[in-house]
Amino acid sequence: TQLLEQSPQFLSIQEGENLTVYCNSSSVFSSLQWYRQEPGEGPVLLVTVVTGGEVKKLKRLTFQFGDARKDSSLHITAAQPGDTGLYLCAGLNTGFQKLVFGTGTRLLVSP
Amino acid sequence: DAGITQSPRHKVTETGTPVTLRCHQTENHRYMYWYRQDPGHGLRLIHYSYGVKDTDKGEVSDGYSVSRSKTEDFLLTLESATSSQTSVYFCATGTGTYEQYFGPGTRLTVT
């Protein structure tokens, strides 16, 4: 069974701080995705990274896929209250078209 | 937004009763998925479909069945609901590339 471990599980910070969330596995994935989920809603895709070593930026969010395609990180610069939510990483095994989700990181950004 | 609706959005049922959850999509996506989300477990795949009448089991399929008679509809049935099936259920669709698009979820409580 492929597993994705996310750390930290909870993060409570002040507006303006920087943070990094990690997603690690012993398995290789063909791609890795990051989702954000708000209370009472389904996850919404933020980004997909496909190539080992790939870095993608989405405004204040920077996503990196590890060289060996086993891990990923999400870095948020100058966090804002609107960044509050549950962040989920998910790895895709192309052969089965099924996502394996991490356990999530719950982020709270206070004004 | 993949145009995914789920019904009902909330349901309370008694142990031992059958329950059917419906997912409807308007995007003509080939793949459809049912997940459950529980604290500490993230999202876990129950069943998925790769075409009309083509379905397969996910990692937590015991006690669940699915049917897909039309491209746009994917039904999840709890044959005899148990308290351990109290959860939030999400439907998702995909085109077979990387991304999956999630519905708003159904909160099911089994008493």
Side-chain angles (χ1 to χ4, degrees), chain A residues 1 30-31 33 35 37 40-45 47-48 50 86 88 92 94 96-104 106, chain B residues 9 31 33 35 37 40-45 48 56-59 90 95-105 107:
Chain A
T1 303
S30 61
S31 68
Q33 302 168 17
Y35 292 79
Q37 184 179 17
E41 300 181 7
V44 175
L45 181 68
V47 78
T48 300
V50 179
L86 178 67
L88 296 161
L92 179 67
T94 303
F96 300 98
Q97 289 299 326
K98 293 187 288 186
L99 284 174
V100 174
F101 278 86
T103 50
R106 193 167 297 279
Chain B
R9 293 293 314 278
Y31 292 85
Y33 308 83
Y35 294 89
Q37 186 174 36
H41 291 279
L43 283 155
R44 292 181 292 174
L45 183 64
Y48 68 103
D56 205 349
K57 297 178 180 180
E59 63 176 304
F90 287 99
T95 61
T97 54
Y98 306 120
E99 291 84 6
Q100 290 187 15
Y101 303 90
F102 285 80
R107 183 173 295 276

Side-chain angles (χ1 to χ4, degrees), chain A residues 51-108:
Chain A
T51 306
E54 182 176 3
V55 177
K56 279 193 175 179
K57 292 190 175 183
L58 185 66
K59 297 184 180 178
R60 295 174 294 99
L61 280 60
T62 301
F63 305 86
Q64 184 164 8
F65 201 10
D67 291 341
R69 290 187 287 124
K70 294 181 178 180
D71 55 86
S72 181
S73 63
L74 157 61
H75 182 78
I76 301 179
T77 303
Q80 299 177 359
D83 295 326
T84 292
L86 178 67
Y87 288 82
L88 296 161
C89 65
L92 179 67
N93 183 322
T94 303
F96 300 98
Q97 289 299 326
K98 293 187 288 186
L99 284 174
V100 174
F101 278 86
T103 50
T105 295
R106 193 167 297 279
L107 172 65
L108 174 63

Side-chain angles (χ1 to χ4, degrees), chain B residues 11-80:
Chain B
K11 186 170 181 67
V12 180
T13 192
E14 294 185 349
T15 298
T17 60
V19 176
T20 296
L21 308 182
R22 180 180 184 244
C23 177
H24 179 79
Q25 59 138 333
T26 60
E27 297 297 310
N28 202 34
H29 287 169
R30 176 184 176 188
Y31 292 85
M32 297 187 75
Y33 308 83
W34 277 107
Y35 294 89
R36 59 179 289 175
Q37 186 174 36
D38 304 289
H41 291 279
L43 283 155
R44 292 181 292 174
L45 183 64
I46 304 171
H47 281 281
Y48 68 103
S49 170
Y50 45 95
V52 173
K53 300 193 178 182
D54 291 322
T55 64
D56 205 349
K57 297 178 180 180
E59 63 176 304
V60 289
S61 59
D62 287 348
Y64 302 94
S65 62
V66 291
S67 66
R68 190 168 178 201
S69 59
K70 297 185 289 185
T71 298
E72 57 266 35
D73 291 326
F74 194 32
L75 303 181
L76 176 71
T77 297
L78 287 66
E79 294 139 12
S80 177

